[in-house]
Every structure is written in C-alpha cells, then in structure tokens.
Amino acid sequence: MDRCLADAVGPLGDLARRWFGALRAVGDDVRETLHDGQPTACIGDAAFGYVDVFKRHVNVGFFLGAELPDPAGLLEGTGAFKRHVKLRPDRPVDEAALERLIQIAAEDLRARLDD
C-alpha cells in the first residue's frame, strides 16, 4: 500500500497516508489489500475500511459504515452499506472522532467474524 499511496503527493497524499496508517494501527490482525484500486484494511478476508484519493479530497471509507454510530456527524453517503468521511487539506476534521470511527469499524467487524 505504501507504494500505491506514494503516488499521492502534497497535502492529499499526506492525508491519505496519515489515515491509512490509522486503519493499519487498530490491531495486529489488520492486513492490507487493494480493492477496486483503493488501499483497503481487512481483518482476515473481510474489509472494514479504505482510503481513496480524489482531485480535491480524500475519503476514508467504511464498508459497513451505515451501521456505525456517528455522534460527531462525520459520515457521508446514502448507500445501503458504505459511508465515508471526506477530508480536505483546508478543512479541519475532528481527528478523535475519526479515530474512534476507525476503531469501532474494526471492532464491529471482529464481532461479526466471531459470530
């Protein structure tokens, strides 16, 4: 994934690398893959989060984001399952809330896999 994210330069690349690192950091059981060209964090074979770099923003996405609690109101999207947090270099984000979303997404997936 580092090589994939190395292509993203400047502030957007910095955001992408920072938040993919946060996805990686939720546990020793996290592995990485590319899914639809996006650096993706998995537990086992199941994906829980991804980072995608666009022209003007970075998305930190969650495959089961529609089911995550989001008291800070960070999540965007209207699909049946996925949600994402849109990050822009010129707009601060509640980092603690985003880190908590990442942790909750991983914990949620672990619980589903244990069932």
Side-chain angles (χ1 to χ4, degrees):
M1 288 327 107
D2 292 328
R3 198 168 28 184
C4 179
L5 290 174
D7 293 340
V9 296
L12 291 176
D14 294 341
L15 281 173
R17 283 183 289 280
R18 191 262 189 254
W19 290 104
F20 195 71
L23 289 168
R24 285 177 171 146
V26 295
D28 293 337
D29 57 345
V30 174
R31 67 177 195 82
E32 305 165 21
T33 190
L34 278 179
H35 178 73
D36 292 336
Q38 300 164 330
T40 301
C42 304
I43 296 172
D45 291 331
F48 71 92
Y50 63 91
V51 172
D52 203 0
V53 181
F54 294 90
K55 196 173 194 176
R56 293 189 177 100
H57 70 278
V58 170
N59 282 350
V60 177
F62 302 95
F63 288 93
L64 297 174
E67 298 183 26
L68 297 177
D70 181 25
L74 297 179
L75 292 172
E76 298 182 28
T78 58
F81 301 104
K82 283 184 166 182
R83 294 289 184 274
H84 64 273
V85 177
K86 191 177 290 188
L87 305 174
R88 292 187 174 89
D90 60 344
R91 186 173 23 159
V93 65
D94 183 339
E95 291 189 8
L98 181 49
E99 288 173 354
R100 185 71 186 129
L101 273 174
I102 291 169
Q103 186 68 41
I104 289 169
E107 290 170 3
D108 176 68
L109 182 57
R110 286 184 187 106
R112 291 171 188 267
L113 294 172
D114 285 343
D115 286 343

